[in-house]
């Protein structure tokens, strides 16, 4: 029996500050840019302000990519083009800066944290900084056995929570959550099908490197068989993760829930992080208010999970590569929303006295009426002692200022 009480999250997780969001909406209504003209960027800016408890919203200055890595025994059935037990190669590629996600993170100036939860390799083969949280070497084959023992699932869940705390304590103000796994999409599809009450064929996709029909049928069969094992434990989310999830999925779920406790916004990447989020929603119904769907990956299980959580992906570029790449593409959109919400000028209050230095407008050109008044005054009053009049040597009012 697990000593971890997931029901505590229901009390610990609050929604982003509703009062702050209303303040952000009222401030947005005063912008010179018409309401609705910025589309979804308005909504994102208000969401960020509520998450931060700040109006105007603060810039997203310290984002971070967190990738949970693991191998899944179900990959041995031939459900993917990638060979079973080869997730370590994905980890090395990302750590060396050669993956799509690593390239985007480098371009955006975002740090990447990779966490080995259940890679099927010797820890000595991995890059420095990846280890320290592994709960086992590879997860079990979910069509015939549990992915984890209950104790291993709890350890992985707690590891995810601890990493969320570490990131929050380090000042991370937004996380991009992804995975590096082989067989992870099969486990994710099983979790989504179990929680949504759908058949295997509805949630089974063809992966980032699309598989042929025969491979897809094997994957459907694996999800179908795993579903039979998942249904008896649907009422216990930790048991569900142990039965048909995996260490990386358990860690991702713990990370998402603890991030919500710590009021840290998260952008979800693909189907694996979406499955973790769906499990998290079953644990604490307010938790999804802290998460954004970065992009549509094309995986049917992701679409099903996001629909169940009423989340609309920010982008749909057909990115299937995983490793946080799709969600990283959405990060500049979120940062742009924060900048617009913070920096767009507000219209003056009706009847408010406009400061004298603002009468010249944004270009610095004097107001037309003021210019005419100045010209009349200059004609009426001759210069003293032969000095230059207000018109200047060439007789043009404010010529130097107008050229500016």
């Amino acid at each position: 029996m697990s000593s971890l009480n997931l029901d505590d999250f229901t009390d610990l997780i609050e929604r982003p500050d509703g009062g702050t969001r209303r303040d952000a909406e009222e401030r947005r209504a005063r912008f010179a840019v018409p309401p609705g003209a910025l589309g979804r960027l308005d909504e994102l800016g208000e969401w960020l302000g509520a998450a931060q408890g700040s109006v105007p919203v603060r810039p997203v200055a310290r984002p971070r990519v967190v990738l949970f890595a693991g191998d899944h025994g179900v990959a041995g059935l031939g459900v993917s083009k990638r060979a079973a037990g080869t997730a370590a190669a994905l980890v090395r590629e990302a750590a060396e800066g050669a993956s799509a996600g690593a390239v985007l993170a480098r371009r955006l100036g975002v740090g990447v944290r990779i966490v080995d939860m259940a890679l099927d390799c010797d820890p000595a083969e991995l890059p420095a900084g990846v280890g320290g949280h592994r709960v086992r070497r590879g997860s079990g084959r979910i069509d015939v056995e549990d992915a984890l023992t209950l104790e291993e699932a709890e350890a992985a869940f707690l590891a995810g929570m601890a990493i969320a705390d570490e990131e929050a304590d380090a000042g991370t103000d937004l996380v991009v959550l992804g995975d590096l796994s082989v067989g992870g999409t099969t486990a994710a599809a099983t979790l989504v099908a179990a929680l949504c009450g759908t058949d295997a064929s509805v949630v089974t996709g063809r992966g980032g490197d699309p598989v042929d029909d025969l491979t897809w049928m094997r994957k459907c069969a694996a999800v179908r068989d795993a579903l039979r094992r998942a249904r008896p434990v649907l009422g216990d989310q930790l048991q569900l993760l142990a039965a048909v999830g995996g260490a990386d999925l358990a860690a991702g779920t713990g990370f998402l829930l603890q991030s919500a406790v710590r009021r840290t916004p998260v952008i979800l990447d693909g189907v694996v992080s979406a499955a973790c989020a769906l499990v998290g929603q079953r644990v604490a119904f307010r938790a999804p208010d802290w998460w954004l769907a970065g992009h549509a990956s094309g995986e049917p299980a992701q679409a099903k999970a996001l629909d169940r959580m009423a989340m609309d992906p920010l982008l749909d570029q057909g990115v299937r590569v995983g490793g946080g790449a799709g969600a990283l593409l959405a990060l500049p959109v979120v940062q742009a929303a924060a900048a617009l919400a913070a920096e767009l000028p507000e219209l003056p209050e009706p009847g408010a006295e406009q400061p004298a230095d603002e009468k010249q407008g944004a270009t610095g050109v004097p107001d037309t009426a003021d210019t005419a008044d100045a010209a009349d005054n200059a004609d009426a009053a001759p210069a003293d002692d032969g000095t230059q009049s207000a018109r200047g040597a060439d007789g043009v009012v404010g010529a130097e200022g107008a050229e500016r």
Side-chain angles (χ1 to χ4, degrees), residues 120-263:
D120 189 9
C121 68
D122 188 324
E125 300 174 17
L126 297 172
V130 171
H133 292 283
R134 178 186 288 191
V135 299
R136 62 178 285 168
R137 181 167 175 161
S139 295
R141 217 183 92 181
I142 59 174
D143 62 321
V144 294
E145 64 180 339
D146 286 349
L148 310 166
T149 67
L150 188 58
E151 291 73 21
E152 289 167 343
E154 181 175 338
F157 193 98
L158 290 170
M161 290 176 59
I163 291 166
D165 282 332
E166 289 170 10
E167 292 299 328
D169 292 341
T172 299
D173 53 10
L174 185 143
V175 173
V176 170
L177 178 64
D179 71 288
L180 294 168
S181 63
V182 175
T185 61
T186 304
T190 303
L191 287 170
V192 172
L195 292 171
C196 294
T198 57
D199 295 331
S201 61
V202 175
V203 296
T204 304
R206 294 179 180 264
D209 186 2
V211 299
D212 58 24
D213 290 345
L214 184 59
T215 305
W216 180 81
M217 290 171 67
R218 285 197 297 266
K219 189 172 182 178
C220 275
V223 173
R224 178 200 63 208
D225 293 342
L227 267 174
R228 295 193 185 106
R229 304 186 58 263
R231 291 185 181 114
V233 294
L234 273 176
D236 186 326
Q237 305 310 305
L238 198 60
Q239 283 275 14
L240 181 65
L241 289 165
V244 297
D248 50 343
L249 286 145
T253 304
F255 180 89
L256 282 171
L257 287 167
Q258 189 63 15
S259 292
V261 172
R262 297 298 303 270
R263 307 180 71 85

Side-chain angles (χ1 to χ4, degrees), residues 254-345:
F255 180 89
L256 282 171
L257 287 167
Q258 189 63 15
S259 292
V261 172
R262 297 298 303 270
R263 307 180 71 85
T264 305
V266 178
I267 302 178
L268 308 174
D269 185 37
V271 63
V272 171
S273 58
C276 294
L278 190 61
V279 177
Q281 183 198 43
R282 291 290 289 262
V283 173
F285 67 95
R286 288 186 287 264
D289 289 354
W290 294 93
W291 312 327
L292 290 174
H295 74 120
S297 69
E299 282 286 317
Q302 186 210 28
K304 190 72 176 176
L306 296 182
D307 180 67
R308 180 57 61 96
M309 293 183 289
M311 288 187 184
D312 292 324
L314 289 179
L315 301 175
D316 187 355
Q317 300 296 323
V319 176
R320 298 172 177 266
V321 71
L328 273 165
L329 289 173
L331 176 60
V333 177
V334 177
Q335 291 176 314
L340 289 166
E343 299 175 26
L344 280 175

Side-chain angles (χ1 to χ4, degrees), residues 5-13:
N5 185 7
L6 299 188
D7 291 339
D8 290 344
F9 283 105
T10 302
D11 297 325
L12 291 170
I13 294 174

